[in-house]
Amino acid sequence: MSAFVTDARSAHAAGVERLLESYRSVPATDTVRLAKQTSNLFRARAKTNATGLDTSGLTDVIAVDPESRTADVSGMCTYEDLVDATLPFGLAPLVVPQLKTITLGGAVTGLGIESSSFRNGMPHESVLELDILTGAGEVITASPGEHADLFRAFPNSYGTLGYAVRLRIELETVKPFVALTHLRFHALADLVAAMDDIIETGRLDGVRVDYLDGVVFSADESYLCVGVQTVAPGPVSDYTGQRIYYRSIRHDGPAKGDRLTIHDYLWRWDTDWFWCSEAFGAQNPWIRRLWPRRHRRSSFYWKLMAYEQRLHIENRIEKLKGHPQRERVVQDIEVPIGRCAEFLDWFLTHVPIEPIWLCPLRLHDDGGWPLYPIRPRETYVNIGFWASVPVGSTEGETNRMIERRVRELDGHKSLYSEAFYSPEEFDELYGGQSYRDVKRRYDPDSRLLDLYAKAVQRR
């Protein structure tokens, strides 16, 4: 029997009605947008005075069904709230993006990834059906058998084909602990070869692997982080206080073990926003002791980053120091695993950013996702790098250089941050005519922004 059904479904229905009322109140000549309190986008947007849609009633877990291992979730529900609802049943989403305030709708329309992606793909592959508010102002249910064109085009559409109102997703059983092995490598080619072997066999030393990601600190210091679920009791580490997770990975020997609760494993990166909390001084031991624990989380760092983006604090400081201005390079890209070492060698030579996150993935659905057309059942590696570099002679010089290299290596990049593609390049990479056909059908009056306008022109 499902949990939380009656009251949650009634609250959800009321939230949908408020959403529709707010849609109907937007003048026909205005672009429709969401009114969101949080965001995980790193893309500047043009200012607008338009009233956003009311999503205040769409933040809850509607139901968890332990028997079918599914959950019905409102589109603006965060993964933090969903995990809190599923773990008591020994269940978790198939992919839990690494930051707590990422929403279910956001992870599907904007893509997501984590260390289970080498076996479970991306979050949208575990969606069984979803209700979408389209640009025409209708809430329709999309699934592989109903409005399948919208269902397939929705991932990576970033709200330009509609907004997820409700999602039904698959869950998987999980054990209470995760045993970690951090494997050190002195050559990137060796790391990639070991990663490929684990993915192909699903095992390390004969033991099933549940989670796999990695960190590159330099060309001769990199790690694979291998996670195995376990019921074995024992001491666990805590990286929500003074200890910092990514620093715990580093060691001199070939392998190092660790243990976390499943809850703390899923959120191991959130306390320090991977390693980006260092930019705010939160990794300084003296500051960290005074930093409230409730503010050691990505959502708070994001608020600080929003101030920086608005006030350009970093560039003001650099100017006072007589240093050049900075270009933000905050990107996640995917390349085929056979080109991974090649990209990393190039990146470490040309872009002064480290550490670098690695997360392998395989899409399993052969039906195709036209707005992010990476090949199913082939291994790609997500490579994430988040920092800034001195500006070049042209706007976005380093980001443009990375885009060119990713294309040369038959890769793609996520659209949550700045993009500099021409319309022709963008068409080739992100759906082109397939996108326009679905756009015309479900947003005939162009009430929602166009994907190129949103992702590249930053409207």
Side-chain angles (χ1 to χ4, degrees), residues 185-235:
F185 296 87
H186 298 276
L188 293 169
D190 292 342
L191 176 143
V192 173
M195 181 192 299
D196 197 20
D197 184 66
I198 292 170
I199 295 166
E200 290 298 325
T201 64
R203 283 170 163 67
L204 175 66
D205 297 331
V207 178
R208 170 190 157 94
V209 172
D210 296 300
Y211 304 109
L212 180 63
D213 62 354
V215 179
V216 176
F217 290 94
S218 67
D220 57 5
E221 185 190 1
S222 57
Y223 301 86
L224 284 182
C225 305
V226 181
V228 176
Q229 294 179 25
T230 177
V231 296

Side-chain angles (χ1 to χ4, degrees), residues 254-268:
K256 176 185 178 183
D258 199 357
R259 280 170 51 88
L260 294 169
T261 66
I262 181 67
H263 176 275
D264 285 357
Y265 176 80
L266 294 175
W267 303 128
R268 68 203 180 283

Side-chain angles (χ1 to χ4, degrees), residues 25 44 83 255:
S25 70
V83 165

Side-chain angles (χ1 to χ4, degrees), residues 126-365:
S126 61
V127 175
L128 302 172
E129 66 175 30
L130 69 165
D131 296 341
I132 299 171
L133 173 65
T134 69
E138 302 173 315
V139 175
I140 63 173
T141 300
S143 69
E146 186 178 8
H147 298 290
D149 54 347
L150 179 59
F151 181 82
R152 292 287 173 189
F154 196 72
N156 209 43
S157 63
Y158 281 90
T160 66
L161 296 178
Y163 299 111
V165 176
R166 177 194 61 89
L167 305 95
R168 177 169 296 162
I169 66 166
E170 296 179 75
L171 305 172
E172 66 177 4
T173 57
V174 292
K175 297 174 182 177
F177 303 102
V178 176
L180 286 166
T181 303
H182 303 307
L183 303 173
R184 177 167 179 169
F185 296 87
H186 298 276
L188 293 169
D190 292 342
L191 176 143
V192 173
M195 181 192 299
D196 197 20
D197 184 66
I198 292 170
I199 295 166
E200 290 298 325
T201 64
R203 283 170 163 67
L204 175 66
D205 297 331
V207 178
R208 170 190 157 94
V209 172
D210 296 300
Y211 304 109
L212 180 63
D213 62 354
V215 179
V216 176
F217 290 94
S218 67
D220 57 5
E221 185 190 1
S222 57
Y223 301 86
L224 284 182
C225 305
V226 181
V228 176
Q229 294 179 25
T230 177
V231 296
V236 293
S237 297
D238 179 4
Y239 297 105
T240 63
Q242 299 305 304
R243 300 175 65 194
I244 296 169
Y245 175 71
Y246 84 95
R247 292 184 179 175
S248 76
I249 294 169
R250 308 182 79 170
H251 60 274
D252 294 328
K256 176 185 178 183
D258 199 357
R259 280 170 51 88
L260 294 169
T261 66
I262 181 67
H263 176 275
D264 285 357
Y265 176 80
L266 294 175
W267 303 128
R268 68 203 180 283
W269 293 119
D270 189 84
T271 300
D272 285 285
W273 206 3
F274 286 83
W275 32 81
C276 297
S277 67
E278 187 171 25
F280 309 109
Q283 293 180 27
N284 180 303
W286 297 103
I287 296 176
R288 197 174 184 87
R289 288 189 184 96
L290 300 174
W291 198 291
R293 185 183 289 254
R294 68 183 182 279
H295 289 158
R296 282 189 221 128
R297 51 182 288 144
S298 62
S299 57
F300 184 73
Y301 303 135
W302 171 251
K303 291 178 182 178
L304 299 179
M305 182 65 72
Y307 284 119
E308 198 286 325
Q309 290 179 348
R310 187 161 63 247
L311 302 175
H312 307 290
I313 297 170
E314 182 181 27
N315 276 330
R316 290 170 186 257
I317 294 172
E318 294 299 314
K319 185 176 181 180
L320 289 173
K321 293 179 178 178
H323 295 167
Q325 301 289 283
R326 308 287 294 182
E327 174 188 350
R328 186 174 60 193
V329 182
V330 176
Q331 304 286 355
D332 279 72
I333 64 97
E334 272 101 29
V335 294
I337 193 167
R339 313 302 294 270
C340 179
E342 186 179 354
F343 177 83
L344 290 170
D345 285 336
W346 174 87
F347 186 89
L348 290 169
T349 300
H350 292 87
V351 184
I353 292 176
E354 54 82 22
I356 304 165
W357 187 54
L358 306 178
C359 188
L361 74 146
R362 272 188 171 181
L363 297 185
H364 300 289
D365 194 313

Side-chain angles (χ1 to χ4, degrees), residues 406-426:
V406 170
R407 285 200 71 190
E408 291 168 358
L409 298 180
D410 195 25
H412 272 70
K413 84 167 193 175
S414 299
L415 296 175
Y416 70 84
S417 190
E418 287 98 344
F420 297 89
Y421 296 111
S422 69
E424 294 75 21
E425 290 173 318
F426 194 84

Side-chain angles (χ1 to χ4, degrees), residues 93-146:
L94 272 62
V95 179
V96 180
Q98 57 274 11
L99 303 181
K100 291 179 176 179
T101 56
I102 293 175
T103 63
L104 274 290
V108 172
T109 193
L111 303 185
I113 193 169
E114 236 296 327
S115 58
S116 62
S117 289
F118 78 99
R119 58 184 177 84
N120 288 336
M122 289 183 167
H124 58 269
E125 291 198 279
S126 61
V127 175
L128 302 172
E129 66 175 30
L130 69 165
D131 296 341
I132 299 171
L133 173 65
T134 69
E138 302 173 315
V139 175
I140 63 173
T141 300
S143 69
E146 186 178 8

Side-chain angles (χ1 to χ4, degrees), residues 149 153 161 431-443:
D149 54 347
L161 296 178
Q433 191 59 48
S434 296
Y435 171 75
R436 286 190 289 275
D437 290 344
V438 178
K439 179 78 167 170
R440 277 196 294 268
R441 180 174 180 184
Y442 295 98
D443 185 21

